[in-house]
Amino acid sequence: MTLVDRPLIQYAIDEARAAGIKEFIFVTSRGKGALEDYFDVAPQLESSLRRKGKTEALQELRKTNMESGQIAYIRQHDPLGLGHAVWCARRLIANEPFAVVLPDDVIAADTPCLQQMVEAYNETGGNMVAAMEVPVEQASAYGLLDIAEANDRVLKVRGMVEKPEPKDAPSNIAVIGRYILTPKILRNLNKKMVGAGGEIQLTDAIAQEVVESDNVHGFRFEGRRYDCGSKAGFLKATVAFGLQREELRDEFTAFLHEITGTRQAAE
Ligand code: G1P
C-alpha cells in the first residue's frame, strides 16, 4: 500500500533506521514476493534514471537498497496471529533484544516513535510497548494496558489484555504497533498459547513477562498515529502526509477546500 509516494513498509524501515536498527527481518506470506524485489537493487531502472538525468529519483530509489546480509525474509505459513508471526523469526533473532514494527500503524512525529522508545528503553531496559489513549468503546480492537504507575511518558505495566470487551478493559491505554522486546518473549511464544480470536497473541507472551519478571513498560509516544489497516485511517494518513509535502501542499489544500465546500453546498 502506497502512502503518498512510498509503500507503508518504507515508512516502517525509515523509522527503524532512525532508531539505529541495522538488521531487518520481514515475516511475510504467500504472494508477497514483490517485497523482496522492492528492497533489492534495480539496475535497469537505475541506468534509465541516470540516462534521463533524474538524479533526485535515483537518490530516492537508492534509499530503498539494503546491504546483503542486512535483510532476511521468513514465511509465516499459516496466519495464526501476531505472536506466531514473531515466533516464526525466532532463530534469526536468537538471543538479542529486538524491536517489532507493525507497518499498518503509521506514526507521524518530529522524533520517530521507535527512536523515542529506544531513548526511554536505554533507561528502563526490559520490554517496552508503544502506548496511546483510545476511546474505551474501541477496546476490542487493541491490546490494553493495566497501569501500575505513570512516570511522565513511561508507564509501569502490571497487566495486559488482548482485545477485551469494553466492560473488561483494564484502562483506555492501548498498545500501538511498536515494541522493544527481550528474547525471553520468544520462549514464551514457544508455548503457542491460543488467545483472543483463536490466535497466538504477542500481548499474551508479554503479559507473561509482567507476571514472571515485572519488566514491562508502556511508552506514551509523542506524535499522531494513523491506523492504515482501516479504510478511514488510511485516507486520513494520505491527507495528513500529503499536506506535509511542500510540493503538494498548495494544490492539495485548494482541492480539499473545493471538494468539502462543494459537499457542504450540496447538503
Ligand atoms: C495488534 C496487536 C494489538 C495492538 C494492535 C495495534 O492487533 O495484537 O495488541 O493493540 O496491533 O495496532 P491487530 O491490529 O493486528 O489486530
Side-chain angles (χ1 to χ4, degrees):
M1 285 171 78
T2 305
L3 186 53
V4 187
D5 59 0
R6 293 181 295 157
L8 286 185
I9 201 81
Q10 182 72 50
Y11 290 85
I13 290 287
D14 290 348
E15 188 180 324
R17 277 185 164 151
I21 289 172
K22 301 211 164 55
E23 290 173 19
F24 304 89
I25 304 166
F26 288 92
V27 182
T28 69
S29 56
R30 268 181 300 280
K32 303 268 171 68
L35 193 72
E36 293 193 32
D37 290 337
Y38 175 76
F39 287 110
D40 209 330
V41 285
Q44 272 181 334
L45 182 56
E46 281 199 17
S47 63
S48 138
L49 290 174
R50 211 174 301 116
R51 249 195 339 269
K52 292 177 187 156
K54 296 193 167 173
T55 339
E56 238 173 75
L58 191 61
Q59 274 166 1
E60 275 305 307
L61 178 68
R62 290 224 172 108
K63 281 193 205 154
T64 64
N65 294 355
M66 290 270 187
E67 298 233 352
S68 301
Q70 261 194 335
I71 189 160
Y73 301 89
I74 283 282
R75 292 242 177 175
Q76 184 190 28
H77 294 107
D78 280 318
L80 298 179
L82 176 60
H84 179 258
V86 172
W87 177 83
C88 289
R90 66 202 177 282
R91 291 198 205 288
L92 287 174
I93 299 169
N95 210 23
E96 287 179 48
F98 59 101
V100 176
V101 176
L102 309 184
D104 55 356
D105 277 334
V106 173
I107 299 170
D110 291 339
T111 304
C113 178
L114 199 56
Q115 188 182 337
Q116 297 176 39
M117 287 173 72
V118 167
E119 282 163 16
Y121 166 86
N122 287 338
E123 304 287 319
T124 61
N127 298 282
M128 182 171 277
V129 300
M132 182 184 103
E133 276 181 31
V134 295
V136 80
E137 314 84 76
Q138 293 172 15
S140 59
Y142 295 99
L144 289 179
L145 299 179
D146 189 358
I147 311 287
E149 130 200 3
N151 194 348
D152 195 16
R153 299 205 164 267
V154 177
L155 315 169
K156 184 99 186 61
V157 173
R158 66 168 167 221
M160 289 171 79
V161 192
E162 181 69 11
K163 304 202 168 81
E165 289 297 318
K167 65 175 176 28
D168 302 321
S171 74
N172 64 341
I173 312 281
V175 177
I176 298 303
R178 304 288 184 275
Y179 307 75
I180 300 176
L181 301 174
T182 58
K184 173 78 191 322
I185 300 295
L186 300 172
R187 294 198 281 281
N188 297 350
L189 287 168
N190 271 336
K191 294 177 194 131
K192 305 235 182 95
M193 276 184 302
V194 174
E199 294 188 340
I200 299 169
Q201 298 292 354
L202 186 58
T203 298
D204 295 341
I206 305 172
Q208 197 180 328
E209 279 310 281
V210 178
V211 178
E212 289 174 6
S213 315
D214 191 25
N215 65 358
V216 180
H217 292 92
F219 180 77
R220 243 202 293 236
F221 56 92
E222 229 165 70
R224 188 168 180 144
R225 172 255 188 180
Y226 297 93
D227 173 13
C228 290
S230 80
K231 290 175 200 167
F234 185 67
L235 287 171
K236 287 179 197 170
T238 302
V239 173
F241 280 74
L243 288 174
Q244 267 175 19
R245 296 289 180 90
E246 221 170 288
E247 74 279 17
L248 299 172
R249 192 176 297 138
D250 291 349
E251 188 181 344
F252 198 30
T253 308
F255 168 74
L256 289 173
H257 280 309
E258 185 199 325
I259 199 156
T260 46
T262 315
R263 206 187 64 186
Q264 270 163 10
E267 281 166 6

